[in-house]
Amino acid sequence: MHLVIISGSVFGTANLVADEAQTLLSNAGVQVSRLQPLSLDALLALAPDALLVCTSTTGMGELPDTLVPLFHEMRDRFPLLTGKPFGVIALGDSAYGDTFCLAGEQFRELLLELQASEALPMLRLDASETVTPETDAEPWLQELVGLLQD
């Protein structure tokens, strides 16, 4: 099982969650790659069996600037990811109401349109409730490991 982690962050927190995910998944025996550069060609070259997106939400519910080009490239070129399992960890602040974790929701919807298969419901991490999102993601990540290893 080869899982590719895509992460985008404004202040680095989503990247910290992605780092924790990479460590936890690797320690569980999953082959993990981080997508660098953030491009569709780089993603396709890695030929992932599964995807994990870790993203913060910025502004009025937008993707971080680092993820915008990849998102648009995936939407425009529309590479079918039929049946590939994926998970999304979305970071946001519930004080922003309707835009809470909207960037994660946008990426989730795109992956579903590309016919990928959601392995677990999206994890929403609320900055109003936690200062350790990388630790709070661990139970969800352990569940993902179990699903990927089945």
Side-chain angles (χ1 to χ4, degrees), residues 1-5 22 25-26 28-33 46 49-50:
M1 172 61 63
H2 179 213
L3 178 131
V4 171
I5 298 175
Q22 183 172 10
L25 291 160
S26 292
V30 176
Q31 179 189 351
V32 180
S33 300
L46 289 171
D49 298 310

Side-chain angles (χ1 to χ4, degrees), residues 73-135:
E73 193 176 13
M74 290 176 76
R75 188 191 62 205
D76 295 344
R77 288 177 52 191
F78 215 77
L80 290 180
L81 303 171
T82 306
K84 288 191 190 296
F86 77 89
V88 176
I89 299 176
L91 289 81
D93 189 328
S94 61
Y96 289 91
D98 292 343
T99 63
F100 175 57
C101 292
L102 191 57
E105 206 46 73
Q106 291 175 51
F107 228 106
R108 177 185 169 274
E109 290 299 321
L110 175 61
L111 291 170
L112 288 170
E113 287 175 22
L114 297 174
Q115 298 181 6
S117 174
E118 189 170 32
L120 282 175
M122 185 173 78
L123 176 62
R124 291 171 174 81
L125 297 173
D126 187 352
S128 293
E129 296 179 2
T130 185
V131 293
T132 57
E134 65 279 7
T135 303

Side-chain angles (χ1 to χ4, degrees), residues 10 59 63 106:
V10 177
L63 291 160
Q106 291 175 51

Side-chain angles (χ1 to χ4, degrees), residues 36-86:
Q36 290 296 332
L38 291 173
S39 74
L40 181 56
D41 288 335
L43 176 63
L44 296 175
L46 289 171
D49 298 310
L51 297 168
L52 174 61
V53 177
C54 298
T55 183
S56 59
T57 300
T58 186
M60 296 301 296
E62 291 99 18
L63 291 160
D65 289 342
T66 56
L67 277 182
V68 170
L70 173 64
F71 182 86
H72 288 293
E73 193 176 13
M74 290 176 76
R75 188 191 62 205
D76 295 344
R77 288 177 52 191
F78 215 77
L80 290 180
L81 303 171
T82 306
K84 288 191 190 296
F86 77 89

